[in-house]
Amino acid sequence: MQAVYRTGPLPDAALDASAAFHARHLPAVLDLLAKRPESLVVIFPPAAHDHRGWRRAAIADLARAHAPVRVLGLAEGDPAALERVLAYLERAPGVTGQMLAVDGMAAQNPA
């Protein structure tokens, strides 16, 4: 079973967004991980490139701490592409600890 957590909007500034994620969303993410799903995908809203570092670090740390549960992050994009990426990740047991950007190309290319 793959669990999905959507953060919803976060502040524009990377430091503020990181603080908001850790304060408001991390407890819910940890609650989901305590239920031991096969994988957890955290979906972040689109953001500027300076958000990449804190998001990658958060996802990688969660993946290491909760293995063998797979933890992945997605930067939300095209809805059709997002659904295809989620379907792919559910069938990709070797993928964990990654922060991926979703664009329309995933909707155009069959998996």
Side-chain angles (χ1 to χ4, degrees):
M1 175 189 81
Q2 176 172 272
V4 176
Y5 181 84
R6 294 175 186 265
T7 67
L10 291 170
D12 290 335
L15 187 58
D16 294 339
S18 175
F21 172 78
H22 285 86
R24 294 192 305 232
H25 300 287
L26 186 58
V29 168
L30 294 174
D31 285 345
L32 284 171
L33 287 167
K35 296 176 184 173
R36 307 290 293 168
E38 289 178 24
S39 64
L40 171 64
V41 180
V42 179
I43 301 176
F44 295 92
H49 68 88
D50 59 343
H51 289 249
R52 189 168 147 197
W54 75 262
R55 289 176 175 191
R56 287 176 60 192
I59 294 300
D61 284 354
L62 287 166
R64 280 190 293 272
H66 295 279
V69 175
R70 296 181 306 116
V71 182
L72 299 132
L74 296 179
E76 191 169 22
D78 176 75
L82 182 64
E83 291 306 314
R84 288 188 63 86
V85 171
L86 285 170
Y88 166 76
L89 291 173
E90 194 163 22
R91 301 183 318 267
V95 181
T96 189
Q98 302 299 309
M99 182 66 213
L100 307 169
V102 177
D103 63 22
M105 296 304 293
Q108 298 170 12
N109 298 319

